[in-house]
């Protein structure tokens, strides 16, 4: 017989099963689909601590075919396993073991394998071809480099070929796309699943089967003779294992109970999720004078505490001790792919050339002249004139960003009008910079006591973070701490996508300030978000002696009054609130830090109050898509900016669709989501017609449970509606934009937005961020009204569809800036400078006017011209994507030292394979240009017999040094007659004359100071 376990603490189940049945049979435990990870994690922890990792723990979920295939592959090689599955997955069709074995592709170093066959095999196995491998189940092919992320592996693999032999197998980082370590062997499992048999049929022999709920069991399992757990066994388990009452931050109560168990001689184990929790528990044990030597501590997460009187064992999990609410156990974050760069243009975009003004980008153009082949940026100007920008000038071109509704006129190549526009923009920048610098100088003059460096408590808080911080997140935290440790107030913007970790940065900052006897105010735009932040912060800081309060319309008048008194007398350390925090009756005893989430969501009057609060406090702004004005100040170095653009591992891009509203399509969308056990956000932003909309939804999907929510409901109704939706009592939430900043609900992975053309890009992006919060594919449907959309509305919707990639919030903000316009950096007035010269150029002018950067020492027209008959470019066969080629052209153009070139070459070789001869030539010429620009050379040109080197007039060759020069180079170098500033390198008839001469010329220029005198040249990109 089978058995069901309904009342046991979760973590006691694997303890009992592993203690009694491991190494005897496969153990199969059937749980809720959402609990598979928790039960598997518990089994791994229990197995490692109590049974020396004696059994292999596998997960077999219904929602991930890749995880199922991985689990089946383990069954091929491991005899006994602990398998966690769900009722749905148990009967789901999957591979037969023998078929899986035959289908798996095994590779090893030095193996002979036809490179061209690998892509076909990967496609047959169900892998998707992409430009770059970013997710499990993808592959890409570039030259002799083949990237693939095999099913079940924690990282993608790079296979490097030498003809038809595998030269190396390497893991690589999907963030940097660079190799990390070498492998000897690789098994590529199929990324699709064949419907041949079921898990229950595969495991008929030597099987223990256990159901955590009675309704999971059905008659189809009754034929299993080897299921030996029965009802009497269940009674035995129930009689042996018991739950602790949750301590929920009651440290004294926990200490007393722990002391009692230790006195009775119980074998006591405490499981801590991280070092921070471990240190806090050890501190509690020490403070309450408990015998630490009688307690075994383990650095591992466990779901629930339990004890057994008969076995005299007590197993305690730290989260039940420290936290008032049960925190979610998240897997450690791994990094997703970082953006390649922010400079992204497509054909047809307007661009700004520093010397020639606004033109239209036509794409990369390969130009062949004699034996010279190069790629240029092609730009169209007035009268269809074309400008071809060479590699060395790529950095002089930026994407044009102007004003909303303004379509710029193309300049002509005579540059007169352009120089006039630049002069006016420079004057405008000077005026604005003067005013801004006065404001910031005033802020800098308001000195305060610096906060101390990181304390032990801060280290404990950091260690207790449930995730592994992403590199961007760590950088943001460090930058905030550096600001707080300075003797003047901070003002910093943290920009990052929804769910990318901005809140944790804010918590670290709030903790530093609060533990130094200063108060912290966290201002959020909605009551729902206030509640969520309050719960998150309360849990994170539960084990520390800090008081956290909330102030919003969810609180009664009585509770608000108590909180107001606590704020004024200083007994509240951190308060989370809505605009209620901005009212006149709020008086802080000593406000140290103001954190503002989504500042652009507050009105004009509220922003005036915020300005008053800013005068005496450090400021931390959080935003997923900052308004253009905020970005403007940030990118101008007038407000400090930290960007978090690394997504959490496992997050999938949100698939976005745009179209006219159609009731039948809406019906299919809702039915599809509900059929996979999910929920739906339906955004209808008109309160007067919400009930009729709800009735319409009920008529097309009658079995679905619907609810309505909007801002005119009373707080209790809002809270109850959201609570019911969170706990899956309703299927569809018909809402206004009140959900824009709200609860994170992983089961909601479809969003339908009506009249999408009426929303701003930032708002649409924020709304879409409410879904796709877990490893489940999410879908967003943007329906617009019939008829022609305005140009701006079309741009917004297209941009949102284009930027489905994770981490694109910052790029979207720039696109929003482009669509809505840069506007005035100081206020609402629309200045003409942005439309005349473009936002990026004006920003640079503003930086120069502010004294934030030094003007370039070399003007664009003073760069060394190099005209050699040689093919020097990045072949499209080597890097197919034009935007990626541009990025590497810009990297080369920005290089200022040999180490830069080395790093670029290493990255290229790793990601795309060995450098083709054309790219090697490009490297040599770019290095030569760098040497020439610092050696007083105006141009290098090639004719039939010579490489001609033209020196600037200030370069002199003293007579006493000429003898040495002639002695060293008499066979290849000569001075041109009557031209003291012209040297000529003789060409030869060797196979690669240019390349050899370029190498010789590079050596010569590296030592030019031995033969010539010249003014000291500074070179600054």
């Amino acid at each position: 017989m089978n058995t069901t376990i309904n009342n046991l603490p979760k973590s006691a189940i694997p303890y009992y099963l592993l203690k009694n049945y491991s190494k005897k049979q496969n153990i199969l435990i059937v749980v809720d689909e959402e609990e598979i990870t928790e039960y598997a994690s518990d089994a791994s922890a229990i197995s490692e601590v109590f049974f020396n990792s004696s059994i292999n723990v596998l997960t077999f979920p219904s929602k991930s075919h890749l995880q199922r295939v991985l689990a089946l592959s383990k069954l091929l090689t491991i005899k006994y396993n602990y398998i966690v599955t769900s009722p749905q997955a148990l009967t789901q069709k999957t591979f037969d073991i023998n078929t899986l074995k035959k289908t798996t592709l095994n590779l090893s170093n030095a193996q002979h394998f036809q490179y061209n066959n690998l892509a076909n095999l990967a496609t047959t196995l169900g892998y998707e071809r992409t430009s770059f491998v970013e997710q499990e189940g993808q592959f890409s092919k570039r030259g002799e480099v083949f990237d693939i992320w095999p099913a079940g592996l924690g990282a993608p693999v790079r296979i490097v070929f030498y003809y038809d032999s595998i030269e190396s197998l390497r893991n690589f980082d999907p963030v940097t796309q660079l190799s990390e370590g070498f492998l000897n062997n690789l098994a590529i499992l199929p990324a699709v699943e064949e419907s041949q048999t079921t898990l229950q049929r595969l495991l008929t022999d030597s099987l223990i089967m256990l159901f955590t709920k009675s309704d999971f069991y059905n008659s189809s399992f009754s034929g299993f003779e080897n299921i030996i757990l029965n009802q009497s066994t269940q009674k035995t388990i129930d009689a042996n294992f018991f739950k602790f009452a949750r301590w929920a931050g009651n440290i004294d109560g926990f200490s007393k109970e722990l002391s009692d168990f230790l006195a009775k001689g119980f074998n006591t184990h405490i499981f801590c999720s991280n070092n921070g929790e471990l240190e806090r528990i050890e501190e509690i044990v020490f403070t309450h004078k408990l015998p630490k030597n009688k307690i075994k501590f383990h650095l591992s997460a466990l779901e629930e505490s339990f004890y057994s009187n008969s076995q005299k064992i007590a197993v305690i999990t730290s989260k039940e001790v420290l936290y008032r609410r049960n925190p979610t156990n998240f897997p450690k974050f791994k990094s997703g792919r970082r953006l390649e760069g922010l400079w992204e243009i497509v054909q047809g975009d307007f661009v700004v050339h520093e010397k020639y003004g606004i033109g239209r980008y036509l794409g990369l153009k390969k130009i062949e002249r004699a034996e010279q082949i190069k790629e240029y940026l092609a730009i169209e100007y007035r009268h269809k004139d074309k400008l071809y920008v060479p590699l060395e000038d790529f950095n002089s071109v930026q994407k044009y960003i102007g004003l909303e509704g303004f379509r710029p006129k193309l300049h002509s190549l005579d540059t007169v009008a352009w120089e006039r526009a630049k002069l006016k923009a420079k004057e405008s920048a000077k005026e604005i910079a003067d005013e801004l610098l006065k404001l910031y100088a005033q802020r800098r003059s308001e000195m305060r006591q610096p906060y101390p460096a990181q304390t032990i408590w801060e280290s404990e808080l950091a260690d207790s973070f449930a995730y592994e911080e992403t590199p961007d997140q760590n950088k943001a935290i460090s930058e905030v701490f550096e600001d707080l440790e300075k003797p003047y107030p901070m003002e910093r913007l943290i920009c990052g996508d929804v769910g990318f970790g901005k809140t944790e940065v804010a918590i670290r900052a709030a903790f530093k300030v609060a533990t130094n006897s200063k108060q912290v105010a966290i201002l959020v735009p909605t009551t729902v978000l206030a509640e969520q932040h309050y719960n998150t912060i309360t849990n994170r800081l539960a084990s520390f002696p800090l008081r956290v309060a909330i102030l919003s319309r969810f609180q009664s008048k009585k509770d608000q009054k108590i909180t107001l008194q606590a704020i004024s007398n200083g007994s509240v350390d951190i308060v989370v609130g809505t605009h209620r925090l901005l009212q006149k009756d709020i008086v802080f005893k000593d406000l140290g830090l103001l954190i503002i989430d989504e500042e652009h969501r507050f009105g004009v009057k509220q922003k005036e109050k915020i300005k008053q609060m800013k005068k005496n406090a450090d400021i931390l702004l959080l935003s997923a898509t900052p308004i253009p004005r905020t970005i403007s100040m940030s990118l101008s170095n007038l407000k400090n900016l930290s960007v978090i653009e690394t997504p959490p591992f496992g997050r999938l891009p949100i698939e976005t669709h745009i179209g006219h509203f159609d009731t039948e399509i809406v019906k299919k969308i809702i039915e599809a989501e509900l059929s996979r056990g999910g929920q739906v956000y339906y955004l209808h932003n008109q309160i007067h017609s919400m009930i009729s909309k709800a009735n319409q939804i009920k008529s097309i999907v009658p079995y679905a449970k619907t609810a309505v929510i909007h801002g005119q409901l009373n707080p209790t109704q809002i809270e109850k509606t959201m609570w019911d939706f969170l706990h899956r009592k309703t299927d569809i939430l018909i809402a206004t934009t009140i959900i824009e900043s709200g609860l994170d609900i992983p089961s909601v992975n479809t969003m339908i937005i009506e009249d999408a053309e009426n929303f701003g890009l930032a708002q649409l992006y924020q709304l879409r961020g409410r879904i796709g919060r877990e490893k489940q594919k999410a879908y967003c449907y943007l329906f617009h009204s019939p008829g022609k959309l305005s140009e701006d509305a079309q741009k917004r919707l297209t941009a949102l569809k284009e930027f489905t990639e994770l981490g694109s919030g910052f790029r979207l903000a720039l696109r929003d800036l482009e669509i809505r316009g840069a506007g005035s950096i100081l206020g609402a007035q629309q200045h003409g400078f942005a439309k005349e010269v473009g936002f990026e150029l004006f920003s640079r002018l503003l930086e120069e006017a502010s004294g934030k950067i030094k003007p370039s020492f070399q003007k664009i027209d003073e760069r060394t011209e190099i005209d050699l008959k040689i093919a020097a470019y990045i072949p499209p066969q080597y890097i197919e994507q034009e935007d990626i080629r541009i990025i590497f052209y810009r990297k080369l153009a920005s290089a200022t030292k040999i180490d830069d070139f080395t790093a670029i070459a290493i990255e290229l070789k790793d990601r795309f394979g060995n450098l083709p001869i054309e790219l090697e030539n490009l490297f040599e010429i770019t290095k030569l240009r760098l040497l020439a620009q610092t050696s007083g050379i105006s141009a290098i040109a090639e004719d039939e017999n010579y490489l001609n080197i033209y020196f600037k007039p200030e370069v002199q060759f003293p007579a006493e040094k000429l003898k040495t020069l002639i002695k060293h180079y008499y066979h290849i170098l000569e001075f041109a007659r009557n031209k003291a500033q012209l040297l000529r390198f003789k060409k030869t008839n060797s196979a690669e004359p240019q390349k050899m001469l370029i190498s010789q010329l590079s050596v010569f220029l590296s030592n030019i100071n031995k033969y010539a005198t010249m003014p000291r040249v500074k070179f600054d990109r």
Side-chain angles (χ1 to χ4, degrees), residues 612-651:
Q612 296 301 315
M613 295 176 73
K614 282 182 178 182
K615 289 182 179 178
N616 303 311
D618 288 276
I619 306 298
L620 188 63
L621 303 168
L622 311 178
S623 188
T625 48
I627 55 173
R629 176 170 169 262
T630 308
I631 299 179
S632 303
M633 298 180 73
S634 302
L635 295 185
S636 303
N637 282 331
L638 294 170
K639 181 181 290 179
N640 294 323
L641 170 69
S642 298
V643 179
I644 302 176
E645 56 186 17
T646 310
F649 179 73
R651 287 276 301 277

Side-chain angles (χ1 to χ4, degrees), residues 9-16 42 46 302-306 315:
K10 286 182 181 178
S11 305
I13 297 174
Y15 180 84
Y16 175 82
D42 274 6
I46 293 290
L302 207 61
E303 189 62 26
E304 285 185 338
S305 305
F306 65 90
V315 177

Side-chain angles (χ1 to χ4, degrees), residues 408-421:
K409 293 180 180 178
L410 301 184
H411 284 93
S412 64
L413 290 176
D414 64 14
T415 74
V416 175
W418 174 240
E419 289 299 329
R420 190 184 304 120

Side-chain angles (χ1 to χ4, degrees), residues 1006-1017:
S1006 298
N1007 298 291
I1008 189 67
N1009 60 332
K1010 293 180 181 179
Y1011 315 111
T1013 59
M1014 64 188 73
R1016 184 176 179 85
V1017 178

